[in-house]
């Protein structure tokens, strides 16, 4: 099955020069690669989205945003809507990233509203969920994942849930180099699948893609994705280095 490799560039690439360098390095790294089983989704800061879609033309690469608002238009100073992302070349949007939950008051409710409007606008949501180390230590893992998943997908019809890409990102693994064991990942993968089948009546053979995210690099990508049956990875830090990012893609294209 096709694997997704999503690059979350976060709030980086601060100048025109940096952006040009990124394009040069990305194009050089992807040239001559014949990818059969993988799809790359780059999510730059929204200010760069249109330029990315124009400068990187490759059939294996699509684009997305890192956040959207849950209204399409109007007096919401500073916000970007799903319709805007769609009209300027984005096909995906990351929703509910832990950094947004932590610094920007994102709640399960706003995550749900954003997922709903994105789906309506035919923008594919990449829905992030995960636990802190304290929650894991205090035995709250299952409760936290269940709550985030059930509330995030509340009232979404099952034929649409299939289009949501779910990204399990343990918060303690993001940007730390601290990675979960195979058992840790599989435990959450099984829990997510069980909730999708039991609570949302999805068919076990037709579930949304479930990705892993948190400190992924080309050395650990096989363990964190292929060996544990995940459908791809959400990459932060390493996506800023196209040479290494494309090495992750190569590992997962096997
Ligand atoms: P990281 O970030 O790869 O730098 O750990 C992942 C993410 O925040 O999505």
């Amino acid at each position: 099955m096709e694997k997704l490799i999503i690059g979350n560039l976060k709030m980086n690439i601060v100048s025109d020069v940096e952006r040009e360098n990124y394009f040069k390095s990305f194009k050089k790294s992807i040239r001559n690669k014949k990818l059969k089983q993988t799809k790359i989704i780059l999510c730059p800061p929204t200010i760069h989205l249109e330029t990315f879609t124009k400068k990187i033309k490759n059939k294996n690469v699509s684009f997305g945003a890192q956040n959207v608002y849950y209204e399409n238009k109007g007096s919401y100073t500073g916000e970007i809507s799903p319709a805007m992302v769609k009209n300027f070349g984005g096909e995906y949007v990351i929703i509910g990233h832990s950094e947004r939950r932590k610094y920007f008051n994102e709640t399960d409710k706003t995550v749900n509203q954003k997922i709903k409007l994105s789906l309506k606008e035919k923008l594919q949501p990449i829905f992030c969920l995960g636990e802190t180390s304290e929650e894991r230590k205090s035995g709250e893992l299952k409760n936290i994942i269940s709550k985030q998943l059930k509330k995030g997908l509340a009232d979404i019809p099952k034929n649409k849930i299939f289009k949501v890409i779910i990204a399990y990102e343990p918060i303690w693994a993001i940007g730390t180099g601290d990675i979960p064991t195979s058992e840790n990942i599989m435990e959450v993968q099984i829990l997510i699948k069980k909730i999708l089948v039991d609570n949302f009546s999805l068919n076990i053979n037709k579930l949304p893609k479930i990705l892993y995210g948190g400190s992924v690099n080309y050395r650990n990508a096989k363990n964190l994705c292929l060996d544990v049956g995940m459908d791809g990875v959400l990459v932060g830090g390493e996506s800023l280095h196209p040479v290494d990012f494309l090495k992750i893609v190569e590992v997962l294209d096997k």
Side-chain angles (χ1 to χ4, degrees):
M1 205 164 63
E2 184 188 61
K3 297 276 184 272
L4 300 181
I5 296 95
I6 302 176
N8 174 10
L9 301 184
K10 305 194 179 180
M11 197 176 73
N12 295 294
I13 308 190
V14 300
S15 69
D16 193 31
V17 174
E18 270 187 43
R19 190 169 66 184
E20 280 309 310
N21 287 339
Y22 190 88
F23 290 148
K24 257 186 230 150
S25 172
F26 191 90
K27 284 181 193 172
K28 199 168 159 213
S29 307
I30 201 163
R31 198 173 297 146
N32 302 328
K33 287 214 184 354
K34 293 203 170 43
L35 303 175
K36 293 185 208 82
Q37 309 246 56
T38 44
K39 176 176 195 140
I40 300 169
I41 301 164
L42 288 179
C43 300
T46 320
I47 198 163
H48 299 311
L49 181 63
E50 193 183 358
T51 314
F52 265 64
T53 64
K54 289 185 174 151
K55 290 285 180 94
I56 300 178
K57 299 263 182 215
N58 183 295
K59 67 175 184 1
N60 298 104
V61 186
S62 302
F63 303 91
Q66 299 170 14
N67 177 43
V68 279
Y69 192 52
Y70 50 81
E71 296 286 344
N72 261 336
K73 193 178 162 173
S75 302
Y76 303 102
T77 303
E79 293 298 311
I80 304 280
S81 75
M84 291 171 177
V85 172
K86 183 81 191 175
N87 289 337
F88 287 89
E91 292 175 77
Y92 298 84
V93 57
I94 299 173
I95 295 177
H97 190 279
S98 60
E99 287 154 13
R100 295 215 60 87
R101 293 180 191 255
K102 182 172 174 197
Y103 303 123
F104 305 102
N105 301 322
E106 189 85 274
T107 63
D108 292 327
K109 179 154 193 273
T110 55
V111 166
N112 178 252
Q113 289 170 304
K114 291 176 179 189
I115 293 178
K116 281 182 184 156
L117 186 60
S118 297
L119 286 168
K120 195 161 165 243
E121 295 303 316
K122 308 228 167 353
L123 205 55
Q124 234 181 306
I126 301 157
F127 167 28
C128 301
L129 42 80
E131 81 290 358
T132 63
S133 64
E134 291 72 31
E135 287 161 348
R136 177 171 275 275
K137 279 180 202 138
S138 62
E140 284 294 294
L141 173 73
K142 290 197 169 175
N143 285 343
I144 294 293
I145 301 291
S146 307
K147 179 177 88 56
Q148 291 176 347
L149 188 62
K150 288 178 192 166
K151 294 198 167 178
L153 297 179
D155 308 320
I156 298 176
K158 64 181 193 178
N159 62 332
K160 289 207 168 170
I161 292 182
F162 178 67
K163 301 213 169 73
V164 179
I165 298 161
I166 298 171
Y168 169 52
E169 297 208 299
I171 296 170
W172 47 273
I174 296 179
T176 58
D178 207 3
I179 52 170
T181 62
S182 307
E183 289 73 31
N184 292 156
I185 298 179
M186 275 150 75
E187 182 186 13
V188 174
Q189 183 201 87
I190 291 166
L191 175 66
I192 293 173
K193 288 184 176 173
K194 188 166 165 23
I195 293 171
L196 291 172
V197 171
D198 292 352
N199 294 69
F200 294 93
S201 313
L202 295 199
N203 180 332
I204 185 79
N205 298 315
K206 205 169 179 261
L207 292 179
K209 284 194 187 295
I210 306 174
L211 316 187
Y212 169 78
S215 293
V216 175
N217 60 43
Y218 68 87
R219 284 170 238 97
N220 62 25
K222 180 174 177 293
N223 287 335
L224 294 172
C225 180
L226 298 184
D227 294 353
V228 286
M230 296 300 260
D231 299 308
V233 288
L234 177 49
V235 184
E238 292 290 285
S239 69
L240 294 170
H241 311 290
V243 176
D244 291 339
F245 183 63
L246 267 300
K247 283 189 194 165
I248 300 176
V249 177
E250 273 195 310
V251 170
L252 300 191
D253 202 57
K254 298 267 154 59

